[in-house]
Amino acid sequence: MRGQDRPRLTRRASVLLAAGLLAAAGTAALAQMAAEIVPPLTGAGQPMADTAAPPVPHWVVDDIRKMRAYPEQPPIIPHSIEGYQLSVNSNRCMSCHKREFTQGSGAPMISVTHYMTREGQMLADVSPRRYFCTACHVPQADTRPLIDNTFVDMSELGVGHAGDQ
Ligand code: HEC
Ligand code: HEC
């Protein structure tokens, strides 16, 4: 019995060993790829090295509402939000974007989704899950992209448009 069991065990061991070697080779290849990809994104060739912080970019604050890349994209913020307090007790954004204040401020109202709970229940005020605006809405800076972007808008993919003719 023992004599029969032994070769089976060794075969299993060698399969494990081969799998281990493959995994090790794969990890090494991945690590090499990561070494090539990461520095342009982090700015540091050596992740733990001290590097000078790049200058803060200039925000685009031209007040021109930008087209969205897709209908449900949180629109980007086209104005300065420098010094706007956004805390549990005070929400500067809502002083212009809340439904009640839009007539005076000229700001677009936060859309209906911002008044909905997770279950779709409509509230009188902004839903807690939409309270911290900058979790989703961000200002833009005019900077050079770190990697090329081949994004194509879906309306340029040859679809017919409703109401075109
Ligand atoms: C003083 C009033 C005011 C305050 C405060 C304010 N906004 Fe605005 N916001 C506007 C106005 C007006 C516009 C329309 C575009 C423009 O004039 O800049 C706008 C546009 C936007 C847009 C673009 C909407 C779209 O459909 O393109 C977003 C997003 C936005 N604001 C988010 C914020 C956030 C987040 C804050 C708080 C950090 C904030 N705003 C604070 C007045 C304000
Ligand atoms: C969880 C993410 C999230 C948070 C938090 C959030 N928004 Fe939005 N917002 C969106 C998305 C997604 C859209 C576009 C689709 C929609 O209307 O739901 C949007 C749309 C908007 C629009 C454009 C509305 C329109 O009809 O064109 C404004 C203005 C806006 N948000 C302001 C705010 C303000 C101000 C806050 C903070 C009180 C806020 N948002 C918080 C995700 C968010």
Side-chain angles (χ1 to χ4, degrees), residues 62-66 68 74-81 84-86 91-97 105-108 133-134 137-138:
D62 55 12
D63 285 332
I64 298 170
R65 292 167 70 181
K66 299 286 181 302
R68 301 181 206 180
I76 60 152
I77 308 172
H79 55 72
S80 169
I81 57 167
Y84 285 180
Q85 197 179 346
L86 185 48
N91 186 326
R92 186 68 206 281
C93 316
M94 289 295 277
S95 70
C96 289
H97 287 280
S105 67
C133 320
T134 48
H137 298 280
V138 287

Short mmCIF file of all heavy atoms in Angstrom, two decimals, residues 62-66 68 74-81 84-86 91-97 105-108 133-134 137-138, ligand 1:
data_model
loop_
_atom_site.label_atom_id
_atom_site.label_comp_id
_atom_site.label_asym_id
_atom_site.label_seq_id
_atom_site.Cartn_x
_atom_site.Cartn_y
_atom_site.Cartn_z
N ASP A 62 -13.96 79.00 -15.71
CA ASP A 62 -14.53 79.90 -16.71
C ASP A 62 -16.06 79.96 -16.68
O ASP A 62 -16.67 80.61 -17.54
CB ASP A 62 -14.03 79.50 -18.11
CG ASP A 62 -14.33 78.04 -18.43
OD1 ASP A 62 -15.11 77.41 -17.69
OD2 ASP A 62 -13.77 77.53 -19.42
N ASP A 63 -16.70 79.27 -15.72
CA ASP A 63 -18.16 79.29 -15.58
C ASP A 63 -18.90 78.67 -16.77
O ASP A 63 -20.10 78.86 -16.90
CB ASP A 63 -18.68 80.72 -15.37
CG ASP A 63 -18.39 81.21 -13.95
OD1 ASP A 63 -18.31 80.37 -13.04
OD2 ASP A 63 -18.23 82.43 -13.78
N ILE A 64 -18.18 77.97 -17.65
CA ILE A 64 -18.86 77.32 -18.78
C ILE A 64 -19.14 75.87 -18.42
O ILE A 64 -18.22 75.10 -18.17
CB ILE A 64 -18.00 77.40 -20.06
CG1 ILE A 64 -17.79 78.86 -20.45
CG2 ILE A 64 -18.65 76.63 -21.20
CD1 ILE A 64 -16.76 79.05 -21.55
N ARG A 65 -20.43 75.52 -18.37
CA ARG A 65 -20.80 74.14 -18.02
C ARG A 65 -20.31 73.20 -19.11
O ARG A 65 -20.58 73.41 -20.28
CB ARG A 65 -22.31 74.04 -17.83
CG ARG A 65 -22.79 74.81 -16.60
CD ARG A 65 -24.29 74.99 -16.58
NE ARG A 65 -24.98 73.73 -16.34
CZ ARG A 65 -26.31 73.62 -16.29
NH1 ARG A 65 -27.07 74.68 -16.49
NH2 ARG A 65 -26.87 72.45 -16.07
N LYS A 66 -19.58 72.19 -18.72
CA LYS A 66 -18.97 71.27 -19.69
C LYS A 66 -19.92 70.13 -20.06
O LYS A 66 -20.68 69.66 -19.21
CB LYS A 66 -17.68 70.66 -19.10
CG LYS A 66 -16.61 71.68 -18.77
CD LYS A 66 -15.94 72.21 -20.03
CE LYS A 66 -14.85 73.22 -19.72
NZ LYS A 66 -15.31 74.39 -18.94
N ARG A 68 -21.19 66.47 -20.69
CA ARG A 68 -20.85 65.25 -19.96
C ARG A 68 -20.46 64.15 -20.94
O ARG A 68 -20.94 64.13 -22.07
CB ARG A 68 -22.06 64.78 -19.15
CG ARG A 68 -22.52 65.83 -18.16
CD ARG A 68 -23.69 65.36 -17.35
NE ARG A 68 -24.48 66.50 -16.89
CZ ARG A 68 -25.57 66.38 -16.14
NH1 ARG A 68 -26.00 65.19 -15.79
NH2 ARG A 68 -26.22 67.44 -15.76
N PRO A 74 -21.50 62.65 -13.09
CA PRO A 74 -21.64 63.86 -12.26
C PRO A 74 -20.96 65.01 -13.00
O PRO A 74 -19.76 64.92 -13.28
CB PRO A 74 -20.88 63.50 -10.99
CG PRO A 74 -20.67 62.02 -11.03
CD PRO A 74 -20.68 61.61 -12.46
N PRO A 75 -21.69 66.07 -13.37
CA PRO A 75 -21.02 67.15 -14.10
C PRO A 75 -19.88 67.73 -13.30
O PRO A 75 -19.93 67.76 -12.07
CB PRO A 75 -22.14 68.18 -14.32
CG PRO A 75 -23.24 67.81 -13.40
CD PRO A 75 -23.11 66.35 -13.14
N ILE A 76 -18.84 68.18 -13.99
CA ILE A 76 -17.70 68.75 -13.29
C ILE A 76 -18.03 70.19 -12.87
O ILE A 76 -18.92 70.82 -13.43
CB ILE A 76 -16.42 68.69 -14.15
CG1 ILE A 76 -16.62 69.47 -15.45
CG2 ILE A 76 -16.01 67.26 -14.44
CD1 ILE A 76 -15.32 69.99 -15.97
N ILE A 77 -17.30 70.69 -11.90
CA ILE A 77 -17.59 72.02 -11.35
C ILE A 77 -16.86 73.07 -12.18
O ILE A 77 -15.63 73.06 -12.22
CB ILE A 77 -17.14 72.11 -9.88
CG1 ILE A 77 -17.74 70.95 -9.07
CG2 ILE A 77 -17.54 73.46 -9.27
CD1 ILE A 77 -17.21 70.85 -7.66
N PRO A 78 -17.58 73.97 -12.86
CA PRO A 78 -16.90 74.94 -13.74
C PRO A 78 -16.53 76.24 -13.05
O PRO A 78 -16.19 77.21 -13.72
CB PRO A 78 -17.94 75.16 -14.84
CG PRO A 78 -19.25 75.01 -14.15
CD PRO A 78 -19.05 74.08 -12.99
N HIS A 79 -16.67 76.31 -11.72
CA HIS A 79 -16.34 77.56 -11.01
C HIS A 79 -15.42 77.26 -9.84
O HIS A 79 -15.24 76.10 -9.47
CB HIS A 79 -17.62 78.26 -10.53
CG HIS A 79 -18.50 77.37 -9.67
ND1 HIS A 79 -18.17 77.02 -8.39
CD2 HIS A 79 -19.70 76.76 -9.93
CE1 HIS A 79 -19.13 76.25 -7.89
NE2 HIS A 79 -20.06 76.05 -8.80
N SER A 80 -14.88 78.29 -9.24
CA SER A 80 -13.99 78.09 -8.10
C SER A 80 -14.78 77.62 -6.88
O SER A 80 -15.90 78.05 -6.64
CB SER A 80 -13.28 79.42 -7.79
OG SER A 80 -12.60 79.29 -6.54
N ILE A 81 -14.19 76.70 -6.11
CA ILE A 81 -14.81 76.31 -4.85
C ILE A 81 -13.85 76.59 -3.70
O ILE A 81 -13.97 76.04 -2.61
CB ILE A 81 -15.25 74.83 -4.85
CG1 ILE A 81 -14.09 73.89 -5.15
CG2 ILE A 81 -16.40 74.59 -5.82
CD1 ILE A 81 -14.41 72.41 -4.85
N TYR A 84 -14.89 77.24 0.09
CA TYR A 84 -16.29 76.87 0.36
C TYR A 84 -16.32 75.80 1.45
O TYR A 84 -15.75 74.74 1.28
CB TYR A 84 -16.98 76.33 -0.90
CG TYR A 84 -17.34 77.38 -1.92
CD1 TYR A 84 -17.98 77.01 -3.10
CD2 TYR A 84 -17.07 78.73 -1.70
CE1 TYR A 84 -18.33 77.96 -4.05
CE2 TYR A 84 -17.41 79.67 -2.64
CZ TYR A 84 -18.03 79.29 -3.81
OH TYR A 84 -18.37 80.21 -4.75
N GLN A 85 -17.01 76.10 2.53
CA GLN A 85 -17.08 75.13 3.62
C GLN A 85 -18.08 74.03 3.30
O GLN A 85 -19.19 74.30 2.85
CB GLN A 85 -17.45 75.83 4.93
CG GLN A 85 -17.12 74.94 6.14
CD GLN A 85 -17.46 75.60 7.45
OE1 GLN A 85 -17.70 76.80 7.52
NE2 GLN A 85 -17.48 74.81 8.51
N LEU A 86 -17.67 72.81 3.53
CA LEU A 86 -18.54 71.66 3.27
C LEU A 86 -18.35 70.71 4.44
O LEU A 86 -17.44 69.88 4.45
CB LEU A 86 -18.11 71.02 1.94
CG LEU A 86 -18.94 69.86 1.38
CD1 LEU A 86 -20.41 70.17 1.39
CD2 LEU A 86 -18.48 69.54 -0.03
N ASN A 91 -23.08 73.67 4.48
CA ASN A 91 -22.84 73.22 3.11
C ASN A 91 -22.98 74.42 2.18
O ASN A 91 -24.09 74.82 1.82
CB ASN A 91 -23.84 72.12 2.73
CG ASN A 91 -23.54 71.51 1.37
OD1 ASN A 91 -23.08 72.20 0.46
ND2 ASN A 91 -23.81 70.23 1.23
N ARG A 92 -21.86 75.00 1.82
CA ARG A 92 -21.85 76.21 0.99
C ARG A 92 -22.48 75.95 -0.38
O ARG A 92 -23.16 76.81 -0.94
CB ARG A 92 -20.41 76.70 0.84
CG ARG A 92 -20.24 78.01 0.13
CD ARG A 92 -20.80 79.17 0.94
NE ARG A 92 -21.20 80.26 0.07
CZ ARG A 92 -20.38 81.14 -0.47
NH1 ARG A 92 -19.11 81.11 -0.19
NH2 ARG A 92 -20.84 82.09 -1.26
N CYS A 93 -22.26 74.78 -0.92
CA CYS A 93 -22.79 74.44 -2.25
C CYS A 93 -24.31 74.58 -2.27
O CYS A 93 -24.89 75.09 -3.23
CB CYS A 93 -22.41 73.01 -2.63
SG CYS A 93 -20.70 72.57 -2.29
N MET A 94 -24.94 74.12 -1.20
CA MET A 94 -26.40 74.14 -1.16
C MET A 94 -26.95 75.56 -1.09
O MET A 94 -28.11 75.79 -1.42
CB MET A 94 -26.89 73.32 0.04
CG MET A 94 -26.68 71.84 -0.14
SD MET A 94 -27.66 71.18 -1.49
CE MET A 94 -29.21 70.94 -0.66
N SER A 95 -26.13 76.53 -0.67
CA SER A 95 -26.62 77.90 -0.58
C SER A 95 -26.91 78.47 -1.97
O SER A 95 -27.52 79.53 -2.10
CB SER A 95 -25.62 78.79 0.17
OG SER A 95 -24.46 78.98 -0.62
N CYS A 96 -26.46 77.83 -3.02
CA CYS A 96 -26.77 78.23 -4.39
C CYS A 96 -27.52 77.15 -5.14
O CYS A 96 -28.40 77.44 -5.96
CB CYS A 96 -25.49 78.53 -5.16
SG CYS A 96 -24.63 80.03 -4.66
N HIS A 97 -27.20 75.88 -4.91
CA HIS A 97 -27.72 74.79 -5.73
C HIS A 97 -28.99 74.15 -5.19
O HIS A 97 -29.59 73.30 -5.84
CB HIS A 97 -26.65 73.71 -5.92
CG HIS A 97 -25.55 74.12 -6.86
ND1 HIS A 97 -25.70 74.05 -8.23
CD2 HIS A 97 -24.31 74.61 -6.63
CE1 HIS A 97 -24.58 74.47 -8.81
NE2 HIS A 97 -23.72 74.82 -7.86
N SER A 105 -29.71 82.58 -7.26
CA SER A 105 -28.29 82.35 -7.53
C SER A 105 -28.02 82.09 -9.02
O SER A 105 -26.89 82.27 -9.47
CB SER A 105 -27.80 81.14 -6.73
OG SER A 105 -28.42 79.96 -7.19
N GLY A 106 -29.03 81.65 -9.75
CA GLY A 106 -28.82 81.32 -11.15
C GLY A 106 -28.09 80.01 -11.34
O GLY A 106 -27.71 79.64 -12.45
N ALA A 107 -27.88 79.26 -10.25
CA ALA A 107 -27.17 77.98 -10.33
C ALA A 107 -28.15 76.89 -10.74
O ALA A 107 -29.33 76.96 -10.39
CB ALA A 107 -26.55 77.66 -8.97
N PRO A 108 -27.68 75.89 -11.48
CA PRO A 108 -28.57 74.77 -11.80
C PRO A 108 -28.95 74.02 -10.53
O PRO A 108 -28.10 73.82 -9.65
CB PRO A 108 -27.75 73.89 -12.75
CG PRO A 108 -26.33 74.30 -12.56
CD PRO A 108 -26.33 75.71 -12.06
N CYS A 133 -20.97 66.94 -1.71
CA CYS A 133 -20.93 67.13 -3.16
C CYS A 133 -19.61 66.71 -3.80
O CYS A 133 -19.60 66.09 -4.87
CB CYS A 133 -21.18 68.59 -3.49
SG CYS A 133 -22.46 69.35 -2.48
N THR A 134 -18.51 67.05 -3.16
CA THR A 134 -17.20 66.85 -3.81
C THR A 134 -16.75 65.38 -3.78
O THR A 134 -15.68 65.06 -4.26
CB THR A 134 -16.13 67.75 -3.18
OG1 THR A 134 -16.22 67.63 -1.77
CG2 THR A 134 -16.32 69.18 -3.60
N HIS A 137 -18.55 65.41 -7.49
CA HIS A 137 -18.29 66.54 -8.39
C HIS A 137 -16.92 67.11 -8.10
O HIS A 137 -16.60 67.41 -6.96
CB HIS A 137 -19.34 67.64 -8.20
CG HIS A 137 -20.73 67.16 -8.52
ND1 HIS A 137 -21.19 67.07 -9.80
CD2 HIS A 137 -21.73 66.74 -7.72
CE1 HIS A 137 -22.44 66.61 -9.78
NE2 HIS A 137 -22.79 66.41 -8.53
N VAL A 138 -16.14 67.27 -9.16
CA VAL A 138 -14.78 67.77 -8.97
C VAL A 138 -14.49 68.90 -9.93
O VAL A 138 -15.03 68.94 -11.03
CB VAL A 138 -13.74 66.64 -9.17
CG1 VAL A 138 -13.77 65.67 -8.01
CG2 VAL A 138 -13.96 65.92 -10.49
C1 HEC B 1 -22.28 81.37 -5.23
C2 HEC B 1 -23.14 80.35 -5.76
C3 HEC B 1 -22.57 78.96 -5.94
C4 HEC B 1 -21.94 78.18 -4.99
C5 HEC B 1 -21.65 78.51 -3.54
C6 HEC B 1 -21.63 76.93 -5.64
N1 HEC B 1 -22.05 76.97 -6.94
FE1 HEC B 1 -21.90 75.46 -8.30
N2 HEC B 1 -22.67 76.66 -9.76
C7 HEC B 1 -23.11 77.95 -9.57
C8 HEC B 1 -23.50 78.53 -10.85
C9 HEC B 1 -24.07 79.92 -11.07
C10 HEC B 1 -23.27 77.52 -11.82
C11 HEC B 1 -23.49 77.60 -13.34
C12 HEC B 1 -22.16 77.73 -14.05
C13 HEC B 1 -21.38 78.90 -13.57
O1 HEC B 1 -21.88 80.03 -13.65
O2 HEC B 1 -20.29 78.69 -13.03
C14 HEC B 1 -22.76 76.36 -11.10
C15 HEC B 1 -22.41 75.18 -11.68
C16 HEC B 1 -22.06 74.02 -10.99
C17 HEC B 1 -21.90 72.70 -11.55
C18 HEC B 1 -22.06 72.34 -13.03
C19 HEC B 1 -23.46 71.83 -13.30
C20 HEC B 1 -23.64 71.37 -14.71
O3 HEC B 1 -24.74 70.92 -15.02
O4 HEC B 1 -22.70 71.46 -15.51
C21 HEC B 1 -21.55 71.86 -10.55
C22 HEC B 1 -21.28 70.37 -10.65
C23 HEC B 1 -21.47 72.64 -9.33
N3 HEC B 1 -21.78 73.95 -9.64
C24 HEC B 1 -21.12 72.13 -8.10
C25 HEC B 1 -20.91 72.90 -6.99
C26 HEC B 1 -20.33 72.41 -5.76
C27 HEC B 1 -19.91 70.97 -5.51
C28 HEC B 1 -20.26 73.46 -4.89
C29 HEC B 1 -19.71 73.48 -3.49
C30 HEC B 1 -18.34 73.00 -3.33
C31 HEC B 1 -20.83 74.63 -5.57
N4 HEC B 1 -21.18 74.24 -6.84
C32 HEC B 1 -20.99 75.86 -5.01
C33 HEC B 1 -23.17 78.62 -8.36
C34 HEC B 1 -22.63 78.19 -7.17
#
